[in-house]
Amino acid sequence: MSTKPEQKETHQANGAVLPVVPVNCRTSADRGQLVEPSDFLGPDGDGVEVVVLESRANAKGVREEDALLENGSQSNESDDTSTDRGPEPASPLKETAFSIGLQVLFPFLLAGFGTVAAGMVLDIVQHWDVFKYVTEVFILVPALLGLKGNLEMTLASRLSTAANIGQMDTPKELWKMITGNMALIQVQATVVGFLASIAAVIFGWIPDGHFSIDHAVLLCASSVATAFIASLVLGMIMIGVIIGSRKMGINPDNVATPIAASLGDLITLALLSGISWGLYKELESKAYVNPLVCAFFIALLPIWVIIAKKNAATREVLYSGWEPVIIAMAISSVGGLILDRTVSDPNFAGMAVFTPVINGVGGNLVAVQASRISTYLHMSGMPGDGSETAPRKCPSPCSTFFSSDVNSRSARVLFLLVVPGHLVFLYTISSMQGGHTTLTLIFIVFYMTAALLQVLILLYIADWMVHWMWGRDLDPDNFSIPYLTALGDLIGTGLLALSFHILWLIGDRDSDVGD
């Protein structure tokens, strides 16, 4: 038996204070494990109850159970010392419906008012010369507003997951994530902005059979410049929101994506309108300005590529993350084609002011849900793992909305926000006389039906898509949100156009009184 001074000695390993086990209680050095001693004697000779944790140490003496030892040193509520038990779930998995709703409500309303402001801006600028004579700009509107969902919301989801699983806890990790992700979205914004302009030219040329090289270059310059500047501004805002959320103890998944949208639509639409109007004015006297603008932003691409490649987390997305944003851009452009064909029709008066609202609200809510599900899955392992939480190939609507798990609870909360949120936004538009549209009861009923159906479809698709991608070894943070927000644009614009058409057929003239 060891002496009393030896029994009092303690050593500290990673924040956990452990008793030094007497020499005769140790196993052989090659086994590197501790066995439980029969007893220890306190200073008075009395037995002292202790807990000895089995620990596997590497050659350097670094314990593999550091996290568990730290938890054990902070709680004595249980004597269960099994190292097979995983760490306690992170806070997002313990959220109640009330806490989810409380955290989502304010950024959701903020995002909604941002879309209302964007709708008011679109209602004004649709009468500008550039929108009248270069109508393909309307096709760019959902594509570039959707680009905010494709890039900024994906950035927010990716950084929220990284923050929740502890990949941004040190200044070095934080700076690495910031530089890599900012460079990545500049690459994606420039390329996708260029492709969106090509899609707008094609979609505008096929129905009319008219092509103008000046207008094509104008669309390219406007789209690339808008995408680049908007992504730069919104990316910096996103990083600030996520860092601030973590410091305040708020789950970034609940607030980051809506706040990205709150200013995203307004900033993007204002930039597109101002840049396209300015470049349109230069067409007559300085035609060379438009090609120079395109060349300038495209010439910056190699710089952003080099920076993004230096970060392991963004290097993979740089190579494999193009499919979702490009396909999403094409889907949003189809919604833009619908907008282009309806906005100038007197029977669809008011369509311009409501389109950003219904699309923005649907995209914001489904982005929150996709980000939450993705974080939940990341806590269970890595994409492709066959854990019990992953993949559900074809969930039923009941399991999506009425089960007891936290993701179903958040789906119900987000769905219940649709009606009160849209009522607030419709009242705001009406009080500001936006769209020159009178809100009759039948108009509100059709509008709410379209909005509820849009969000219902999106939340169900999100539940299936995120789990399906996880099972296919794809990170949902990088792949799911672009598809979901683009589908939100297409479904929202389509359902809204259908509602306006039905209202016109049944003679609800009060809802579209024109200018």
Side-chain angles (χ1 to χ4, degrees):
M1 192 63 65
S2 60
T3 63
K4 291 181 181 179
E6 288 176 340
Q7 293 158 6
K8 291 181 180 180
E9 290 180 0
T10 61
H11 74 280
Q12 188 167 348
N14 299 300
V17 178
L18 304 175
V20 173
V21 178
V23 177
N24 62 352
C25 295
R26 294 184 181 272
T27 62
S28 60
D30 58 304
R31 289 176 60 187
Q33 292 185 342
L34 302 178
V35 296
E36 294 187 1
S38 58
D39 65 315
F40 286 90
L41 294 179
D44 301 328
D46 299 330
V48 179
E49 182 181 357
V50 297
V51 176
V52 179
L53 298 180
E54 179 186 359
S55 176
R56 294 179 298 275
N58 59 21
K60 297 180 180 179
V62 179
R63 301 187 182 278
E64 297 176 2
E65 290 83 13
D66 288 345
L68 293 178
L69 291 175
E70 290 176 4
N71 292 337
S73 67
Q74 296 170 3
S75 174
N76 57 2
E77 295 177 359
S78 173
D79 291 332
D80 182 9
T81 61
S82 172
T83 55
D84 294 331
R85 184 179 62 184
E88 288 295 318
S91 58
L93 304 185
K94 295 183 177 180
E95 294 172 305
T96 64
F98 177 77
S99 67
I100 295 171
L102 190 63
Q103 290 186 23
V104 172
L105 180 61
F106 175 73
F108 167 72
L109 292 175
L110 183 63
F113 286 122
T115 61
V116 169
M120 300 295 293
V121 170
L122 184 59
D123 187 44
I124 295 172
V125 302
Q126 66 174 323
H127 305 292
W128 290 7
D129 288 346
V130 64
F131 283 87
K132 285 183 178 180
Y133 300 113
V134 190
T135 59
E136 293 86 355
V137 178
F138 281 112
I139 302 177
L140 284 177
V141 171
L144 291 181
L145 297 190
L147 185 67
K148 168 265 303 173
N150 300 343
L151 300 184
E152 270 62 46
M153 287 187 176
T154 301
L155 172 67
S157 178
R158 189 162 56 237
L159 293 182
S160 295
T161 297
N164 279 324
I165 64 178
Q167 293 182 355
M168 296 174 61
D169 290 344
T170 66
K172 183 178 179 180
E173 291 175 333
L174 179 62
W175 177 249
K176 195 173 181 180
M177 291 293 291
I178 290 175
T179 55
N181 279 280
M182 287 298 294
L184 174 65
I185 65 170
Q186 296 312 311
V187 175
Q188 292 178 321
T190 304
V191 174
V192 177
F194 178 74
L195 295 177
S197 65
I198 295 177
V201 171
I202 294 174
F203 284 145
W205 169 56
I206 291 177
D208 298 334
H210 175 71
F211 177 78
S212 170
I213 186 64
D214 290 337
H215 289 178
V217 177
L218 168 66
L219 289 171
C220 177
S222 302
S223 180
V224 171
T226 299
F228 182 92
I229 299 173
S231 293
L232 181 64
V233 174
L234 294 171
M236 291 188 293
I237 294 174
M238 275 302 86
I239 291 169
V241 167
I242 291 172
I243 295 174
S245 298
R246 290 295 291 173
K247 290 184 177 180
M248 296 174 63
I250 298 175
N251 183 2
D253 283 318
N254 292 337
V255 299
T257 48
I259 291 179
S262 64
L263 297 175
D265 285 345
L266 180 60
I267 290 175
T268 304
L269 186 56
L271 284 171
L272 175 62
S273 304
I275 292 173
S276 61
W277 176 80
L279 293 177
Y280 180 76
K281 291 294 184 181
E282 299 295 332
L283 273 180
E284 297 180 0
S285 58
K286 300 176 182 177
Y288 61 86
V289 171
N290 290 304
L292 281 179
V293 172
C294 289
F296 172 75
F297 286 106
I298 293 175
L300 293 176
L301 271 177
I303 300 175
W304 309 127
V305 171
I306 292 172
I307 298 175
K309 286 177 67 175
K310 291 183 178 180
N311 190 312
T314 56
R315 188 185 306 123
E316 179 184 355
V317 184
L318 184 65
Y319 292 127
S320 63
W322 292 102
E323 178 184 340
V325 294
I326 292 175
I327 294 178
M329 178 272 300
I331 295 173
S332 294
S333 296
V334 176
L337 181 61
I338 297 174
L339 180 63
D340 183 33
R341 294 293 144 186
T342 57
V343 73
S344 58
D345 190 336
N347 297 325
F348 292 86
M351 182 86 175
V353 73
F354 293 110
T355 299
V357 178
I358 193 170
N359 291 350
V361 170
N364 299 341
L365 293 177
V366 75
V368 171
Q369 180 69 352
S371 181
R372 291 178 58 86
I373 298 175
S374 179
T375 297
Y376 178 85
L377 293 175
H378 273 91
M379 290 178 176
S380 69
M382 296 298 292
D385 288 352
S387 64
E388 59 184 10
T389 57
R392 268 187 292 161
K393 294 184 178 179
C394 188
S396 67
C398 289
S399 64
T400 300
F401 294 99
F402 301 108
S403 67
S404 59
D405 66 77
V406 67
N407 294 323
S408 179
R409 190 182 308 135
S410 63
R412 293 193 295 270
V413 171
L414 296 174
F415 183 74
L416 292 175
L417 288 175
V418 174
V419 171
H422 272 296
L423 286 176
V424 172
F425 305 145
L426 288 178
Y427 176 78
T428 303
I429 293 173
S430 176
S431 63
M432 298 177 67
Q433 298 181 346
H436 312 283
T437 299
T438 303
L439 298 182
T440 63
L441 178 61
I442 190 170
F443 172 81
I444 294 176
V445 169
F446 273 89
Y447 180 88
M448 288 299 174
T449 301
L452 286 169
L453 187 59
Q454 176 208 31
V455 174
L456 187 72
I457 294 172
L458 289 175
L459 291 176
Y460 177 74
I461 294 176
D463 191 26
W464 164 78
M465 182 177 290
V466 172
H467 286 91
W468 178 82
M469 287 181 172
W470 185 270
R472 292 286 299 272
D473 198 19
L474 300 174
D475 190 345
D477 281 328
N478 298 327
F479 290 90
S480 64
I481 290 182
Y483 290 118
L484 293 170
T485 54
L487 287 172
D489 292 341
L490 179 59
I491 295 172
T493 305
L495 289 175
L496 188 61
L498 179 62
S499 299
F500 270 85
H501 184 65
I502 295 175
L503 288 170
W504 174 74
L505 289 177
I506 64 178
D508 183 35
R509 297 293 181 177
D510 289 337
S511 65
D512 55 357
V513 295
D515 293 339

